[in-house]
Amino acid sequence: MSLADVEAAWQMDGETLLPECTYDPELHVGPRLTIETTAERAAREAVAREVCASCPALFLCGLYALEARPTSGIWAGRTPAELATEVEDREAAA
């Protein structure tokens, strides 16, 4: 899929919609200068998953995340561990 195809898929009423994570990146990757407690991280990740659920880029983000295999953050509503498990399951089924 070309960049033009991606932009066309994200357009609504002639405007290119931005992925939700661009509005509050720390929600998806965590704070830069502070250390989160386990409870704080779980709460932040829960909210990030909710934001991802309504994102116009959810499908494309998920495809990218499965290919790129990120090591941190929330991608298409999933953690890197969840993405890795999904990749392993797909490879085992193939």
Side-chain angles (χ1 to χ4, degrees):
M1 181 176 272
S2 72
L3 179 57
D5 292 336
V6 171
E7 288 177 347
W10 285 351
Q11 285 194 354
M12 182 178 287
D13 297 327
E15 288 188 43
T16 301
L17 303 172
L18 294 174
E20 293 295 328
C21 57
T22 62
Y23 299 106
D24 186 4
E26 284 190 359
L27 177 63
H28 297 273
V29 297
R32 290 183 181 193
L33 301 176
T34 60
I35 298 173
E36 294 177 298
T37 65
T38 302
E40 290 170 334
R41 180 156 139 207
R44 177 185 52 78
E45 288 180 347
V47 172
R49 289 175 194 266
E50 290 176 18
V51 169
C52 288
S54 63
C55 181
L58 179 64
F59 177 74
L60 296 173
C61 179
L63 292 177
Y64 175 79
L66 290 171
E67 184 70 27
R69 300 177 108 178
T71 58
S72 63
I74 297 294
W75 293 79
R78 293 169 282 185
T79 64
E82 292 165 339
L83 290 164
T85 299
E86 187 173 335
V87 169
E88 291 168 6
D89 290 348
R90 287 180 182 208
E91 289 173 352

mmCIF file of all heavy atoms in Angstrom, residues 17 45 56 69 76 79 87:
data_model
loop_
_atom_site.group_PDB
_atom_site.id
_atom_site.type_symbol
_atom_site.label_atom_id
_atom_site.label_comp_id
_atom_site.label_asym_id
_atom_site.label_seq_id
_atom_site.Cartn_x
_atom_site.Cartn_y
_atom_site.Cartn_z
ATOM 1 N N LEU A 17 -7.395 12.427 8.184
ATOM 2 C CA LEU A 17 -7.505 12.263 9.630
ATOM 3 C C LEU A 17 -6.175 11.781 10.194
ATOM 4 O O LEU A 17 -5.513 10.937 9.604
ATOM 5 C CB LEU A 17 -8.596 11.244 9.948
ATOM 6 C CG LEU A 17 -9.972 11.568 9.396
ATOM 7 C CD1 LEU A 17 -10.908 10.389 9.611
ATOM 8 C CD2 LEU A 17 -10.528 12.811 10.046
ATOM 9 N N GLU A 45 -2.627 2.421 29.927
ATOM 10 C CA GLU A 45 -2.786 1.505 28.796
ATOM 11 C C GLU A 45 -4.262 1.199 28.528
ATOM 12 O O GLU A 45 -4.663 1.060 27.370
ATOM 13 C CB GLU A 45 -1.993 0.232 29.017
ATOM 14 C CG GLU A 45 -0.499 0.459 28.894
ATOM 15 C CD GLU A 45 0.332 -0.793 29.103
ATOM 16 O OE1 GLU A 45 -0.203 -1.821 29.599
ATOM 17 O OE2 GLU A 45 1.525 -0.750 28.765
ATOM 18 N N PRO A 56 -9.261 6.185 13.376
ATOM 19 C CA PRO A 56 -9.431 5.894 11.950
ATOM 20 C C PRO A 56 -8.272 5.082 11.377
ATOM 21 O O PRO A 56 -8.406 4.476 10.319
ATOM 22 C CB PRO A 56 -9.501 7.283 11.300
ATOM 23 C CG PRO A 56 -8.798 8.180 12.247
ATOM 24 C CD PRO A 56 -9.062 7.616 13.619
ATOM 25 N N ARG A 69 6.779 -5.067 14.767
ATOM 26 C CA ARG A 69 6.994 -5.695 16.069
ATOM 27 C C ARG A 69 7.621 -4.728 17.083
ATOM 28 O O ARG A 69 8.751 -4.919 17.534
ATOM 29 C CB ARG A 69 7.824 -6.951 15.915
ATOM 30 C CG ARG A 69 7.131 -7.962 15.016
ATOM 31 C CD ARG A 69 7.951 -9.160 14.802
ATOM 32 N NE ARG A 69 7.334 -10.239 15.543
ATOM 33 C CZ ARG A 69 7.783 -11.467 15.539
ATOM 34 N NH1 ARG A 69 8.842 -11.781 14.861
ATOM 35 N NH2 ARG A 69 7.176 -12.386 16.238
ATOM 36 N N ALA A 76 -2.445 -0.182 17.972
ATOM 37 C CA ALA A 76 -3.732 -0.745 17.544
ATOM 38 C C ALA A 76 -4.430 -1.439 18.714
ATOM 39 O O ALA A 76 -5.040 -2.476 18.568
ATOM 40 C CB ALA A 76 -3.548 -1.697 16.376
ATOM 41 N N THR A 79 -0.489 -4.467 23.291
ATOM 42 C CA THR A 79 0.875 -4.296 23.789
ATOM 43 C C THR A 79 1.828 -5.065 22.875
ATOM 44 O O THR A 79 1.402 -5.943 22.114
ATOM 45 C CB THR A 79 1.011 -4.854 25.214
ATOM 46 O OG1 THR A 79 0.788 -6.265 25.169
ATOM 47 C CG2 THR A 79 0.060 -4.178 26.184
ATOM 48 N N VAL A 87 1.572 -12.712 16.269
ATOM 49 C CA VAL A 87 2.488 -13.080 15.186
ATOM 50 C C VAL A 87 2.854 -14.561 15.299
ATOM 51 O O VAL A 87 2.826 -15.299 14.298
ATOM 52 C CB VAL A 87 3.757 -12.198 15.186
ATOM 53 C CG1 VAL A 87 4.817 -12.746 14.256
ATOM 54 C CG2 VAL A 87 3.408 -10.765 14.799
#
